Amino acid sequence: MKTRWIALSMVAAMALSLVGCGGDTSSAGTSESTSTSTATAETQSSAETSGKPTASGKTLIVGTMANSLGLPVHQAEIAGYFEEAGLDVQIEIFATGAPINEAMAAGNLDVAVSGMASVYALATGMYTYIGDGVITSGGEAIYARPDSAIAQQAADDRGIIGSADTLKGVSILGPLATTAHYQAISYIEHFGLTADDFSMVSMDYPQAYQAFITGEGDLVVMKMPYTNQLEEAGYVRVCDMNQVLDDPIVDTIFVQNSVAEERAGDPELFLDCYYRACADLMSDEANRRDVAMT
């Protein structure tokens, strides 16, 4: 399985290093507070002249998930990119995008690195879209038990396993109003059925995984790292995201409007760290797997 991490819509003036604080604080007859203010002013003036972003110094609270779309955030933290950029980042982990939207609406988060649920938040006009996140062309899949009638079907020309007869009336475990739900519907429709021909049992990814391996449900829709674990345990992947969708799902990064307006340097620096982490994960599959499993 592959999850491609593609850095799109990079901020044009994104900088890879910060302007360091400067100024002479030892001049005779100048107080320490005056020197510090002068140094700060010089640093800000230098930053404005160079066009390089500077961190506000305020904590940047980021909401994301413990799955593929959150990996770059986790990698950026592990690699020390946030600290290097002068950002004080606090990461909050959520099960799905819906509670991320709720936390953003309540003002508890500054940044959301989220999935399909982002469209509902962005439609309100309360937030500023700053960049594309994960491009989902793999890594999200539906699994069946190897002894099920579904898994016994031959794969079609797109590599999708199943049939209308074996899928009618099935229960699929996974979170509602997410890419998992969208994939489940697309999978069922691939065989000429409709959303009325199956039941989506709403569970967050960890709960759905545990329920499925203990015998509940007919199918389960999973993201990494759970897909890795199901593969290793011998469960049958009946379809992958890129097999049932004509176009990839683009996850998103958005911020509070106030953060975009009043702390413009923070989002730019965050994106720089995020995309550097994407490059790390794209270039080293073994590391991507290790990060996913931590």
Side-chain angles (χ1 to χ4, degrees):
M1 289 181 290
K2 297 181 179 178
T3 300
R4 299 189 312 171
W5 306 86
I6 305 175
L8 300 176
S9 304
M10 284 288 286
V11 175
M14 192 69 70
L16 296 180
S17 60
L18 300 180
V19 177
C21 292
D24 184 358
T25 60
S26 60
S27 298
T30 303
S31 68
E32 181 179 351
S33 60
T34 301
S35 299
T36 302
S37 298
T38 301
T40 301
E42 289 176 352
T43 299
Q44 292 174 341
S45 176
S46 175
E48 292 172 358
T49 302
S50 67
K52 295 181 179 180
T54 55
S56 69
K58 298 179 179 179
T59 299
L60 192 68
I61 306 175
V62 180
T64 189
M65 302 178 217
N67 55 39
S68 55
L69 66 84
L71 286 187
V73 180
H74 190 30
Q75 169 64 18
E77 181 182 44
I78 292 173
Y81 294 152
F82 294 140
E83 183 178 1
E84 180 183 327
L87 291 174
D88 176 19
V89 173
Q90 177 181 321
I91 302 172
E92 300 290 342
I93 300 298
F94 296 81
T96 65
I100 291 179
N101 287 350
E102 293 173 4
M104 287 290 285
N108 296 328
L109 298 175
D110 299 312
V111 182
V113 180
S114 190
M116 182 173 262
S118 301
V119 298
Y120 301 105
L122 291 169
T124 67
M126 297 167 57
Y127 316 105
T128 301
Y129 176 90
I130 62 171
D132 293 338
V134 176
I135 311 300
T136 304
S137 61
E140 294 191 56
I142 300 177
Y143 288 84
R145 297 182 183 84
D147 59 352
S148 72
I150 301 168
Q152 303 306 313
Q153 303 300 303
D156 62 16
D157 56 358
R158 297 186 68 171
I160 302 173
I161 298 172
S163 70
D165 290 339
T166 57
L167 290 172
K168 191 173 181 62
V170 297
S171 60
I172 304 179
L173 310 183
L176 292 173
T178 64
T179 53
H181 193 187
Y182 186 43
Q183 184 180 5
I185 294 172
S186 299
Y187 171 63
I188 291 294
E189 290 180 343
H190 177 76
F191 293 98
L193 301 174
T194 71
D196 294 329
D197 292 316
F198 81 102
S199 60
M200 189 77 181
V201 182
S202 183
M203 294 184 181
D204 292 336
Y205 292 109
Q207 289 75 25
Y209 172 81
Q210 288 297 330
F212 185 69
I213 64 175
T214 56
E216 294 184 40
D218 300 303
L219 298 164
V220 67
V221 191
M222 282 286 108
K223 286 177 175 282
M224 294 172 62
Y226 303 107
T227 50
N228 302 88
Q229 297 172 35
L230 289 170
E231 293 275 345
E232 291 175 355
Y235 290 92
V236 177
R237 182 177 59 188
V238 297
C239 83
D240 201 342
M241 180 70 84
N242 62 346
Q243 293 174 315
V244 294
L245 301 183
D246 294 328
D247 298 298
I249 297 294
V250 180
D251 296 320
T252 59
I253 305 171
F254 60 98
V255 303
Q256 300 284 356
N257 287 339
S258 59
V259 173
E261 295 165 2
E262 301 166 13
R263 301 163 55 185
D266 290 352
E268 289 191 43
L269 291 167
F270 177 80
L271 278 183
D272 181 35
C273 297
Y274 180 93
Y275 289 134
R276 289 173 67 188
C278 285
D280 291 346
L281 296 167
M282 289 173 67
S283 63
D284 189 342
E285 188 169 345
N287 177 56
R288 183 167 70 243
R289 179 181 173 81
D290 289 343
V291 173
M293 297 300 290
T294 57

